[in-house]
Amino acid sequence: MQTRRSLLKMSAGMALAAGTVASLPLAAVARAPVVGTQAPGYYRIKLGDYEITALSDGTVELPLARLYENIEESEAEAILAGYFQPNPTEVSVNAYLVNTGDRLALIDAGTGTLLGPSLGKLVANIEAAGYTAAQIDDVILTHIHSDHSGGLTVDGKRVFENAVAHVNRREVEFWLQADAAAKADPVLGPHIAQAEQSVSPYVAAGRLETFGDNEAPIPGFASVLRAGHTPGHSSIVVESKGEKIVFWGDIVHGDVLQFDRPDVSIEFDVDQKQAAASRAVALAEAADQKYRVAGAHHAFPGIGHVRRDETNYAWVPLSYSATY
């Protein structure tokens, strides 16, 4: 039974509690600081019996509308804006790790220290994904541009110390056996220097092997010559239990414009006409055969399909899955 005395005691206790709350330091209810970083950049899928791990080397802002060729910059900028992509545009640099159960093969090696602080995150993301650089048996390059080969070497030392690097022999002839005129060229020269810096330590160690056009870089992996972007630019094909994925390399840059306009090349193409022809073939094949595609410069994780639509082709990113 409540009495006047017990009610007074209860009221006094409530007042004390209220006073205690009011006297707590303001910091206890302040907003948390902004973190400003992303989660580690890796994502896994299954391909038959194989495990594929997409790895982010980072992203970089590029003036894509200006870099595209065979189209006016204003038109390219308007097309990108229609997909909410500003100019400059954030572009991913992706690599892919294939675990067959018997070997661990890395497809492309990121930028290393060559292209700025927003990139060069490949090794950290390999480790975040549960592997180490020392565990990788093979590194297969789609081509020897610095955003695909720069991560092979840091400070003159091989990053993947136990791996053999593999690349189409046309790439070695073009980049590593260039003549004095090519080395002096204001456009090609810096790329040749970067290629030598990245790949030469593997040559010196006897750990660079070449493959021919449309030949297997390593057992169980196929290649398709898609020349133009560079002379030996090759897509890498992996299949397991009837499932297929094609690691495109630089067939396209970005997720939008070149799907509708395969004729649009980019400033980085060594042979723009041939690159456009290779792109047209690659897009048609991917749409017809409906296999999965992994692109070096699609928005991370860069895996999806190509389909035909009313304006030519469209990129369809893989739906996120918490399991596989």
Side-chain angles (χ1 to χ4, degrees):
M1 175 178 169
Q2 294 282 4
T3 66
R4 182 172 179 274
R5 186 170 184 173
S6 63
L7 286 171
L8 287 171
K9 284 183 176 180
M10 185 169 62
S11 297
M14 291 173 66
L16 178 61
T20 301
V21 171
S23 66
L24 287 175
L26 293 177
V29 292
R31 292 181 300 172
V34 174
V35 176
T37 58
Q38 297 285 17
Y42 69 90
Y43 181 74
R44 299 192 218 277
I45 65 170
K46 287 286 284 183
L47 185 86
D49 288 332
Y50 297 170
E51 180 182 78
I52 313 290
T53 304
L55 296 161
S56 174
D57 190 61
T59 62
V60 61
E61 286 191 343
L62 292 178
L64 279 184
R66 179 171 59 79
L67 294 172
Y68 286 133
E69 302 283 351
N70 199 32
I71 188 172
E72 291 295 327
E73 181 176 351
S74 58
E75 183 183 358
E77 193 168 51
I79 291 170
L80 293 173
Y83 288 84
F84 306 100
Q85 295 189 15
N87 188 26
T89 307
E90 197 84 12
V91 177
S92 291
V93 177
N94 307 322
Y96 299 91
L97 195 59
V98 182
N99 189 339
T100 70
D102 296 319
R103 68 198 309 162
L104 203 55
L106 178 66
I107 298 173
D108 284 334
T111 64
T113 59
L114 295 182
L115 298 179
S118 68
L119 297 168
K121 305 180 188 305
L122 181 64
V123 171
N125 284 323
I126 288 172
E127 292 171 353
Y131 297 103
T132 67
Q135 289 178 300
I136 293 172
D137 301 296
D138 303 278
V139 181
I140 305 171
L141 302 178
T142 58
H143 61 298
I144 307 184
H145 270 157
S146 57
D147 53 328
H148 299 258
S149 66
L152 286 173
T153 304
V154 172
D155 295 329
K157 296 181 180 178
R158 289 176 289 118
V159 171
F160 306 101
E161 58 193 76
N162 297 314
V164 176
H166 307 263
V167 69
N168 184 288
R169 69 169 60 99
R170 294 174 185 257
E171 290 292 287
V172 170
E173 292 168 358
F174 187 80
W175 297 109
L176 301 185
Q177 299 171 10
D179 59 22
K183 291 181 179 180
D185 184 272
V187 175
L188 278 180
H191 292 291
I192 291 170
Q194 288 177 333
E196 291 175 341
Q197 177 181 335
S198 301
V199 180
S200 292
Y202 291 78
V203 176
R207 288 186 169 269
L208 179 72
E209 296 182 0
T210 61
F211 54 89
D213 301 347
N214 306 310
E215 290 183 354
I218 60 176
F221 289 58
S223 75
V224 181
L225 180 66
R226 300 289 193 208
H229 181 62
T230 63
H233 179 267
S234 298
S235 295
I236 307 302
V237 183
V238 176
E239 298 186 66
S240 178
K241 285 195 167 179
E243 296 183 44
K244 179 177 178 179
I245 188 168
V246 177
F247 299 94
W248 252 2
D250 283 7
I251 291 294
V252 299
H253 289 77
D255 299 348
V256 178
L257 194 146
Q258 290 176 301
F259 287 89
D260 287 338
R261 292 279 306 274
D263 61 307
V264 172
S265 293
I266 197 161
E267 188 177 290
F268 310 125
D269 292 335
V270 172
D271 184 330
Q272 294 182 11
K273 186 175 180 180
Q274 190 175 30
S278 291
R279 181 164 37 259
V281 172
L283 287 167
E285 183 183 286
D288 290 343
Q289 297 188 23
K290 298 179 170 58
Y291 50 66
R292 278 177 275 188
V293 168
H297 301 302
H298 293 82
F300 183 78
I303 302 173
H305 291 87
V306 178
R307 68 174 178 85
R308 285 185 168 84
D309 64 9
E310 65 279 1
T311 59
N312 211 350
Y313 297 98
W315 172 246
V316 184
L318 197 70
S319 295
Y320 175 82
S321 175
T323 63
Y324 61 45

